[in-house]
Amino acid sequence: MLNCIVVSVGMMLIGLLVGIYAWISGADIVSINDQYVYGPTALINAIILTFFLSFIFGTFWTIVQWFGFIIYSRFRPIRLRYYEINQS
């Protein structure tokens, strides 16, 4: 879940830039159902598409990491260290 959040935050900036560029310049960048959209609709659709794609990429990366941890744990033990913070 954390991977999906991190990927979505990073990709949201790209989606905002693409949406703003399509809104201001009227470029053929954002398309829905093979129809290019312009103006504020391009900005909204770019954000929605970016959120959807970031969830897909984040989920894929989480699965890849999960398999990596399984393979790594076959050769070496995985330990979690916890350091308590002294509050004084």
Side-chain angles (χ1 to χ4, degrees):
M1 183 67 178
L2 187 61
N3 285 338
C4 291
I5 293 170
V6 170
V7 170
S8 66
V9 167
M11 288 186 71
M12 274 302 163
L13 298 173
I14 295 170
L16 279 172
L17 289 175
V18 167
I20 290 171
Y21 181 72
W23 184 2
I24 293 172
S25 69
D28 295 337
I29 297 176
V30 183
S31 67
I32 300 292
N33 293 331
D34 294 330
Q35 298 278 330
Y36 290 110
V37 292
Y38 307 98
T41 309
L43 177 65
I44 294 168
N45 286 329
I47 292 171
I48 291 170
L49 287 172
T50 304
F51 183 73
F52 180 69
L53 288 174
S54 67
F55 179 74
I56 291 172
F57 289 136
T59 303
F60 172 73
W61 184 245
T62 302
I63 292 169
V64 168
Q65 281 183 333
W66 181 66
F67 280 120
F69 284 140
I70 289 174
I71 293 169
Y72 182 80
S73 68
R74 299 287 178 186
F75 300 105
R76 288 187 155 177
I78 297 176
R79 290 186 230 157
L80 180 65
R81 294 182 184 165
Y82 174 78
Y83 297 103
E84 192 169 332
I85 299 173
N86 294 332
Q87 297 179 3
S88 49

